[in-house]
Structure formats: C-alpha cells, structure tokens
Amino acid sequence: MASKPSIPKGTRDFSSTEVAKRNYIFSIIKSNFEQFGFQPIETPSFENSDTLMGKYGEEGDRLIFKILNSGEYLEKVSEEDLSVKNTKKITSQISEKALRYDLTVPFARYVVQHQNELEFPFKRYQIQPVWRADRPQKGRFREFFQCDADVVGSNSLWQEVEFVQLYDTIFTALGLKGVHIKINNRKILSGIADVIGASDKLIDFTVALDKLDKIGEDGVKKEMLEKGISEAAIEKVQPLFNFTGTIPEKIEKLATLLASSNEGLKGVEELKFICNAINELGLKSANLDVDVTLARGLNYYTGAIYEVGAPTVVAMGSIGGGGRYDDLTGIFGLKNMSGVGISFGLDRIYLVLEELGLFPETVTTTSKALFINFGEAETLFSLKAISQLRQNNIKVEMYPDAAKMAKQFQFAEKKGIQFAILVGEEEIKQNQYKIKDLVSGEQETVSLDQLKEKLK
C-alpha cells in the first residue's frame, strides 16, 4: 500500500483563498514600496555557500539549509574525515551551495556584482521566499516569504526616519493599527559593552540581551555568565532590565549611562535625531518606542536597529525588523557603502490579519457568477456573454458539463459564488439572462448591459 503523501515540517500548501489573501498583502506592500521610490529586483533561491556562511553569526549559520553537490558528492571526502565524523570539514566538501537565509546578504552580493550598473543611492525592494532550518512553531516556518526594502549608498539618518514612516504607512493601509515599532542602535550596545568592560564579548552580550522577552532577566544573566561575562559587568547593566519612561527620558538615561563612551554617545545622538524627527512628522497609527534590549543578534548591524511587534491584543512574535549595516558590502569587496533596510514578515502578518478579521470580504479569487450549463446551444450563447463580462473585469465561469441543475447550484454554493446565470431557449430568443442570487434566492431577467451592472 502506498504511503500517505506529506510535506516537510515547517512548510505549507496554500488554498486559492489563502493565496488571494497573501496577494492582497503583497499588493499593499508593493504599491507603498514603489510610492516611496523603491525599485524591484530578484535574486536566485540559492547562493554559493561562502556568500551566506559567516554573515549571520554562529546561530544563524546553523540554520542555513545546505544543498548537496550533484553526482557522487562523497568522492572528495577522505576516509579519515568520514571515520572521525568531521562534520564541518565534510559539509564544505559535499555542499558548495545553500538556500538563502534572508534577502539582505544576497542583496549585498547583488550590489557588489552590479555596482557599475546602479545609480546610488540605490533603493530596492525584494519579495521572495527564504529558508531556515529552524524548529517549526506558531508563526515560525522553515520556508517563508520576506518583503524587504533597502537603501545603499547613503549615510543620511533621514533614511532611518523614512523607514519608520514606511512601516507606519503599510501597516495602516493593511488596517493593522497600533503596531509597536521598537528602535535601538548598535552603537549604544557597543557603548554599554565598553562601559562594563565587556567589549570583547559584544556579540555574546547582545545575543543574550536580545532574548530578554523570551527567557526573562534571570535567563539572560545566566547566559551572560555562561559566555564569560562577569557578575560585576552584569550588575552595571542592571538598569537595562527595567528600562522605562518616555522616549526623551530613556535617551537622557542612556546619555548618562554612556557618558564615558564616545561610540555609545554617537548612538544616542543618532537615536535622538530619528525619534525627534518622527515626533515632529507624526505617525498615522503605529507606536514608536526605544528598546535598549533590542539587539537582533546578527553580526552585520552597525547603527539603527528596528523590530516591529503586532498590536498587544495578538500573541505573536515580531512581524518586521531591520537596521543599518555599514560594513555588509565590504565583506564582498565594496568598501564605504553604507546601507539600511527593513523587512516585513508576510506569514506572521497574515496570521495577525486573520486573527483580527482584517481581510476585506472582497479579497477572493472566487467567480462572481456561474453560468448554468443546459446544453450545447445554451453554452455557446452564454460563452459570448462571458467573453464580454470578462472584458469588463468581471470574474465569471461556465459549468463545463450539462449536469443536473441541483449539482451545478451545489458547486456554486461550495465555491462561494453568489450568482447563478440561467440561459434556456426562452432567454436565447429574447436575448436575455436570468440571474439568481444564491444567498437571497431572488431572481430576475435582465439584458446583457443590465447583467454587467449587476455583477460589477
């Protein structure tokens, strides 16, 4: 007996209704990206392994899906490496490519490869799937779409301001009001590490700090101790574990805490500039706040760091994030090319909109009307009308077989089609159409022009 077919954990099939809802999100994000001056690009689903490895930190590297070389991929592996199970060495010999982990590193590679063809500052957006060998759970998948917008070739902090506005504009357009845009600065984190004498443990410090929401204060302290950060150093950052107040109050506290760090104070000034500008410009529906525990443990952020949380009525992880990455293109040989970008988590946004009932009822791929099939002559007459209706962007379809009427009505109802169009001998003679509302049961006979108006 054949085994029941299945799909890998962390992946999904999408029904036509789900695809229509996802396309609704895509269309709003795309239109606003373009309104803000971003241009679309696409990159391959897989990259050379050395393009991706070493760009996301130790944790990120472990989540990259490797692709086996084609052919006899074990030929180059020595018996010795196989016998001692030298996984790291073996992997590099049997896998030269990997599925992309995000869209930012491939974008940096794209910029370096095509630098002579681009006009800088270059503003791009990219909406494509990415893959991570993560443990699947609610809102976390192994295959998911990212929607990114980036600017490279500008150091201006006005870009950071614009990204806050972009988040606010798109989530407002989606009807998702009250999202929380949290902002921090990597220079502030570097300054804190410097002040407490843990500069050599910056990545360990920030990775642990970023987990405060997940594992709590005690968990963060325990991880820091395990990574070699002293108790005295941890004691100095105690104020960060309960960092409250308004944005100006938080910035003032940071300026005091980082008074001895030039790097830290520079981060405070950048944060102050962005927050002051947003305060002057105003936001449509989002909330902006400073979160000093926001670290996003990726190696490439060097300035502003963003993370967007859903409204508090929904239990969901981040639905967006990003930051400035001055050094990213440098790893591919292009120096002094500053960049800043943000990402939208489509799949989590979908779940939030679904939970809050924010998808419009009109978001569907279902036909507006089904023409009932009574036979060859009736079908031919109906298809002429169908052609004209479709030219007017009205979604209609013909039932393919001259089946029992009850079966055809049942088909329409199951598909959520509101109207049935009945054309018999009498309607053909009078050049008219009988339209029946399958919800109310009402029906009337109309001309083709009237039918167009009814179905618009």
Side-chain angles (χ1 to χ4, degrees):
M1 185 176 176
S3 60
K4 186 178 178 181
S6 63
I7 59 174
K9 288 183 179 178
T11 64
R12 296 149 296 161
D13 290 322
F14 297 107
S15 68
S16 57
T17 300
E18 290 168 328
V19 170
K21 290 179 177 180
R22 287 165 66 84
N23 286 340
Y24 164 75
I25 299 172
F26 284 141
S27 65
I28 287 179
I29 292 176
K30 281 181 181 179
S31 63
N32 282 285
F33 278 170
E34 291 175 2
Q35 195 171 62
F36 275 66
F38 294 88
Q39 298 176 307
I41 69 163
E42 291 188 357
T43 59
S45 57
F46 56 93
E47 298 272 350
N48 292 324
S49 295
D50 56 8
T51 297
L52 303 178
M53 298 299 291
K55 312 303 188 303
Y56 305 102
E58 190 177 333
E59 288 190 15
D61 279 357
R62 286 200 297 268
L63 301 181
I64 292 174
F65 273 110
K66 284 80 174 177
I67 300 173
L68 285 175
N69 295 338
S70 56
E72 296 294 330
Y73 52 83
L74 286 175
E75 279 184 347
K76 297 179 181 178
V77 182
S78 69
E79 292 291 337
E80 182 184 352
D81 289 335
L82 280 173
S83 63
V84 298
K85 297 181 180 177
N86 189 337
T87 306
K88 193 170 183 180
K89 190 173 180 181
I90 292 172
T91 301
S92 65
Q93 293 173 338
I94 66 174
S95 174
E96 297 170 356
K97 295 174 286 295
L99 293 176
R100 60 173 172 244
Y101 174 92
D102 74 352
L103 299 178
T104 305
V105 170
F107 171 56
R109 189 266 309 151
Y110 175 93
V111 170
V112 174
Q113 263 193 270
H114 300 275
Q115 56 186 288
N116 295 326
E117 307 156 28
L118 302 176
E119 191 67 38
F120 294 102
F122 177 55
K123 301 175 73 171
R124 87 81 166 89
Y125 76 85
Q126 194 171 348
I127 301 178
Q128 288 185 280
V130 299
W131 295 266
R132 296 183 185 179
D134 212 343
R135 184 172 64 86
Q137 52 187 290
K138 183 183 178 183
R140 189 184 295 273
F141 306 101
R142 287 175 172 169
E143 178 186 60
F144 57 97
F145 268 78
Q146 280 189 340
C147 309
D148 284 13
D150 290 77
V151 183
V152 290
S154 172
N155 294 302
S156 172
L157 289 174
W158 290 112
Q159 304 290 358
E160 276 86 336
V161 173
E162 187 174 59
F163 277 125
V164 175
Q165 292 180 304
L166 183 56
Y167 267 138
D168 178 48
T169 299
I170 288 176
F171 284 120
T172 301
L174 287 168
L176 191 56
K177 298 179 180 179
V179 301
H180 301 276
I181 304 172
K182 296 184 287 186
I183 188 170
N184 197 11
N185 193 294
R186 194 72 170 193
K187 295 183 182 73
I188 289 173
L189 295 169
S190 298
I192 294 170
D194 184 32
V195 166
I196 66 174
S199 294
D200 60 328
K201 301 283 186 181
L202 174 61
I203 298 299
D204 291 332
F205 168 75
T206 55
V207 167
L209 190 63
D210 195 37
K211 296 177 181 176
L212 184 62
D213 287 345
K214 298 174 185 174
I215 62 177
E217 180 180 337
D218 291 340
V220 170
K221 288 179 176 178
K222 181 173 180 288
E223 184 169 325
M224 286 183 175
L225 286 169
E226 290 171 353
K227 295 293 185 179
I229 298 171
S230 68
E231 288 189 16
I234 295 172
E235 185 64 31
K236 288 180 182 179
V237 297
Q238 183 62 40
L240 299 183
F241 295 118
N242 188 27
F243 203 73
T244 58
T246 64
I247 289 177
E249 288 169 348
K250 288 180 178 180
I251 289 174
E252 190 175 335
K253 288 178 185 178
L254 283 171
T256 302
L257 179 65
L258 298 170
S260 62
S261 170
N262 290 332
E263 177 81 351
L265 289 176
K266 188 176 179 183
V268 172
E269 284 304 307
E270 290 180 5
L271 199 59
K272 185 177 180 180
F273 178 91
I274 298 164
C275 292
N276 284 348
I278 292 298
N279 185 54
E280 285 289 321
L281 295 166
L283 294 174
K284 296 175 182 178
S285 67
N287 304 302
L288 180 67
D289 197 14
V290 170
D291 184 353
V292 290
T293 68
L294 177 60
R296 298 184 66 85
L298 303 178
N299 286 346
Y300 51 68
Y301 290 134
T302 56
I305 309 168
Y306 302 102
E307 187 164 280
V308 182
T312 50
V313 293
V314 182
M316 183 63 68
S318 66
I319 55 176
R324 182 167 284 276
Y325 45 87
D326 287 349
D327 301 329
L328 191 63
T329 55
I331 58 179
F332 297 121
L334 183 59
K335 303 293 184 182
N336 303 316
M337 183 63 73
S338 183
V340 58
I342 60 173
S343 181
F344 290 77
L346 169 81
D347 297 287
R348 289 186 177 184
I349 292 170
Y350 181 105
L351 292 173
V352 172
L353 294 181
E354 191 75 83
E355 187 170 332
L356 297 179
L358 294 176
F359 282 110
E361 290 183 10
T362 53
V363 177
T364 177
T365 55
T366 301
S367 297
K368 189 80 173 178
L370 175 72
F371 278 74
I372 302 300
N373 191 324
F374 286 106
E376 190 174 320
E378 293 86 349
T379 297
L380 187 60
F381 181 86
S382 296
L383 285 172
K384 291 175 182 177
I386 287 172
S387 294
Q388 291 197 44
L389 291 169
R390 287 172 178 168
Q391 286 172 19
N392 284 268
N393 295 317
I394 300 171
K395 290 185 281 188
V396 291
E397 61 184 282
M398 185 84 208
Y399 194 82
D401 304 304
K404 291 182 179 179
M405 196 182 300
K407 183 178 181 180
Q408 297 187 53
F409 279 156
Q410 188 179 51
F411 174 83
E413 289 167 3
K414 284 184 176 179
K415 286 191 68 176
I417 298 174
Q418 184 179 354
F419 297 101
I421 313 299
L422 299 90
V423 177
E425 289 182 14
E426 193 62 33
E427 284 76 26
I428 292 175
K429 286 178 185 177
Q430 297 179 14
N431 198 26
Q432 290 186 317
Y433 305 83
K434 190 176 288 182
I435 177 171
K436 181 174 182 177
D437 189 323
L438 297 176
V439 177
S440 67
E442 296 177 359
Q443 65 181 40
E444 60 180 310
T445 302
V446 297
S447 67
L448 181 57
D449 286 338
Q450 290 172 323
L451 184 61
K452 289 176 186 175
E453 290 301 314
K454 288 273 184 186
L455 296 180
K456 276 185 179 178

